[in-house]
Amino acid sequence: MKLIFERSVRGRRAARAPKWTVPTHELIAQNLLRKKPAELPELPEMEVVRHFTELSRLNFSVDTHFYPLGSCTMKYNPKACEAMANLRGFLDVHPLWPQLRHGGLLTQGALQLTYETERMLSEITGMAEFTLQPLAGAHGELTGVMLMAAYHRDRKNKKTHVIIPDSAHGTNPASAALGGYGVVAIPSNKDGLMDADALAAALNEETAGVMLTSPNTLGLFNPRIREIAEAVHTVDGLMYYDGANLNAILGRCKPGELGFDMCHLNLHKTFASPHGGGGPGSGPVGVVERLRPFLPISRVVKTKDGTFSLDYDAPKTIGYIAPFYGNFGVVVRTYAYLLLIGREGLREVSNHAVLNANYVLAKLRPYFATPTKDRCMHECVLSAKKQQKEHGVRALDIAKALLDRGIHAPTVYFPLIVPESMMIEPTETETRETLDGFVQAMIEIANQAETDPDALHVAPTTTPVGRLDEVAAAKQMDLAYSG
Ligand SMILES: *Cc1c(COP(=O)(O)O)cnc(C)c1O
């Protein structure tokens, strides 16, 4: 594809409005103006439109292709929520505007939306209170670990470490370490779950808490979760729930009722915000009653006369963890989404997410190794270890071959505890026909691994960029243009 500069021909342009005939004010001082015009490409309007439309089509996107990227998948993002987030009243609101002047017309709506979103998330998770401040899942975890530390300081507890299963998302141990704790990793048992006996052995008076994802990164729900929570509470440890992918249990069970003391959610995965390229995100954190005093300031409170205001009066708070009140635009999408689909809709989300993942798992079990014999929750993990051993075809080759078939690659080589892992999350929104298309593509690739493995080693061949040396692409970036 040509650069827009290469398509430029001097003098070509779009229709132009006639010159102004009324006097105009000088907006920019004369000495700051360019001496000669910038050397911009010159093209007719349709050429410009086509150029940028073509560019946009080089991208893989959930609007055009199936996107089964396990764990970090974008789930259902109704376009209606985008429209709500783009309403002028939400777009233009500024956090330094007065809370109550002009009868509160300026910011009362935003404060009410914030307040009600916190109430709804508390209800969904069984927590007492939420803060919307954290700007990502990992930021929510760090907030959680800081809350954990504040709680233990307040109780004069001497705590040194956090317990985390070896299947955890990598951000969990990183957050615990940033929060000043050592990390004790617990191996998974043969069923792919954190071993409750190994946990009991590691647990002692110095355990600050346990960080868990349930369902875990193998897509498995831990049936001994209540028992684990009880054991952790006997040493005054806290249970942290990584709820980045809550679509597995939405509307069916609540972390608060399973014995968890706090959790974060990824609004940019499960609650209707599209994400990519690192943002924008939102990782709100919910806590049970006894952790409420430590939440970050400010809090949105509802006063007796029904208006909303910001409250900074919290002597035990961990303070600010983000400027102002978080990523407001993301929160607007979540609010709209929750009102749009309602209580029944939330339950439908988990029903379909879990059904779809199990459908894919059942269809592909005959072709790929699977780490456990169990059913899964919202995502399933397959392994290419058979293909690798017999034909030298790795999970990476399979991921690349999917690109040639118009399907985004699944997450590969995570979770780390499964060799040649491929983690597939079909999400709640895909049709049976789309899932069948994916299954068919995976079966074709499994067959090709036997008949023509070399073809898979050079895939993809139909994408704008072919197989890259991934290390060099990251470490020796070549961004210069050479025609
Ligand atoms: C995505 C994810 C995170 C981290 O969220 P970020 O917003 O990327 O920081 C943490 N835990 C799990 C299980 C995740 O899937």
Side-chain angles (χ1 to χ4, degrees):
M1 210 183 131
K2 279 188 172 172
L3 297 185
I4 195 162
F5 286 92
E6 293 167 334
R7 296 171 75 144
S8 166
V9 173
R10 180 151 300 228
R12 288 204 174 143
R13 56 188 72 255
R16 278 205 294 190
K19 272 216 164 9
W20 291 67
T21 52
V22 289
T24 52
H25 281 290
E26 194 179 275
L27 290 176
I28 301 174
Q30 208 61 44
N31 65 332
L32 296 177
L33 289 176
R34 285 177 190 280
K35 300 285 174 286
K36 55 180 188 138
E39 289 178 32
L40 298 177
E42 298 179 62
L43 292 93
E45 181 164 345
M46 278 322 292
E47 289 291 303
V48 176
V49 172
R50 285 180 194 145
H51 176 75
F52 285 106
T53 306
E54 272 172 40
L55 271 186
S56 76
R57 287 196 189 165
L58 297 181
N59 278 335
F60 231 100
S61 86
V62 78
D63 282 348
T64 53
H65 297 88
F66 180 48
Y67 204 106
L69 185 76
S71 182
C72 295
T73 320
M74 286 198 264
K75 297 142 189 27
Y76 185 26
N77 303 316
K79 299 287 185 242
C81 300
E82 292 299 304
M84 296 301 130
N86 278 297
L87 290 174
R88 283 293 301 275
F90 291 134
L91 269 187
D92 293 347
V93 71
H94 192 282
L96 290 180
W97 280 357
Q99 292 159 40
L100 273 173
R101 238 184 16 223
H102 310 302
L105 280 180
L106 289 178
T107 54
Q108 278 296 299
L111 291 176
Q112 179 175 357
L113 184 145
T114 305
Y115 180 86
E116 289 179 3
T117 304
E118 289 182 356
R119 296 283 89 63
M120 288 193 279
L121 296 181
S122 302
E123 166 75 22
I124 287 167
T125 53
M127 294 287 146
E129 184 86 42
F130 253 81
T131 170
L132 298 175
Q133 275 189 34
L135 303 172
H139 196 203
E141 292 170 29
L142 178 63
T143 307
V145 175
M146 287 167 70
L147 290 168
M148 198 181 267
Y151 169 83
H152 291 308
R153 260 198 312 279
D154 190 55
R155 314 232 327 156
K156 308 211 163 35
N157 286 341
K158 268 211 148 24
K159 301 287 190 180
T160 55
H161 63 267
V162 172
I163 295 178
I164 300 174
D166 63 356
S167 63
H169 196 274
T171 49
N172 290 186
S175 302
L178 262 181
Y181 288 115
V183 174
V184 176
I186 302 290
S188 302
N189 62 19
K190 62 173 183 5
D191 300 323
L193 297 168
M194 182 169 90
D195 191 73
D197 300 325
L199 170 77
L203 198 63
N204 60 41
E205 291 296 323
E206 295 196 350
T207 306
V210 172
M211 294 178 89
L212 261 188
T213 309
S214 187
N216 65 12
T217 51
L218 290 175
L220 305 173
F221 186 84
N222 194 326
R224 292 176 74 180
I225 196 73
R226 275 241 174 81
E227 193 187 320
I228 291 173
E230 261 168 44
V232 173
H233 287 146
T234 55
V235 298
D236 203 13
L238 295 173
M239 290 288 289
Y240 184 94
Y241 186 89
D242 180 338
N245 306 293
L246 206 73
N247 58 339
I249 61 165
L250 265 182
R252 296 215 148 248
C253 73
K254 305 179 177 186
E257 290 173 359
L258 297 173
F260 285 93
D261 303 295
M262 46 181 151
C263 72
H264 83 263
L265 306 175
N266 276 28
L267 300 189
H268 52 289
K269 286 178 187 168
T270 313
F271 292 95
S273 235
H275 62 277
S282 176
V285 170
V287 296
V288 293
E289 193 59 45
R290 68 184 193 286
L291 294 172
R292 197 198 282 258
F294 307 103
L295 281 173
I297 48 168
S298 58
R299 310 279 323 128
V300 179
V301 291
K302 192 173 181 175
T303 52
K304 283 208 185 68
D305 64 1
T307 59
F308 299 88
S309 62
L310 294 171
D311 181 20
Y312 296 84
D313 181 21
K316 293 185 177 177
T317 177
I318 60 169
Y320 277 100
I321 46 108
F324 301 110
Y325 325 109
N327 255 333
F328 183 65
V330 177
V331 176
V332 176
R333 288 174 177 86
T334 296
Y335 182 76
Y337 179 65
L338 292 176
L339 295 186
L340 190 67
I341 69 169
R343 193 181 288 269
E344 274 311 305
L346 288 176
R347 200 182 239 278
E348 287 283 288
V349 165
S350 54
N351 283 352
H352 284 111
V354 173
L355 180 64
N356 286 356
N358 278 288
Y359 182 76
V360 168
L361 178 63
K363 290 271 183 185
L364 291 178
R365 239 189 234 287
Y367 302 91
F368 296 93
T370 50
T372 75
K373 300 254 170 303
D374 283 336
R375 278 192 270 176
C376 62
M377 294 294 283
H378 64 303
E379 60 195 356
C380 64
V381 176
L382 305 174
S383 162
K385 71 177 181 205
K386 186 166 87 111
Q387 283 74 14
Q388 195 210 355
K389 209 159 140 223
E390 294 171 11
H391 314 291
V393 169
R394 309 179 55 211
L396 183 73
D397 300 319
I398 296 172
K400 301 290 185 196
L402 279 170
L403 300 180
D404 274 337
R405 288 161 175 82
I407 296 172
H408 192 280
T411 298
V412 289
Y413 300 103
F414 181 80
L416 303 174
I417 53 176
V418 177
E420 296 298 325
S421 56
M422 297 175 285
M423 187 183 194
I424 296 154
E425 181 177 359
T427 80
E428 57 271 14
T429 29
E430 299 298 340
T431 61
R432 169 133 182 220
E433 288 76 9
T434 301
L435 299 186
D436 284 339
F438 171 70
V439 165
Q440 196 49 43
M442 287 293 279
I443 294 173
E444 268 175 44
I445 295 169
N447 290 337
Q448 200 176 13
E450 294 176 13
T451 55
D452 188 9
D454 287 342
L456 295 175
H457 293 141
V458 295
T461 55
T462 60
T463 49
V465 177
R467 175 91 58 122
L468 295 171
D469 175 340
E470 297 188 352
V471 177
K475 301 219 158 165
Q476 294 157 26
M477 260 188 270
D478 177 6
L479 298 178
Y481 171 69
S482 57

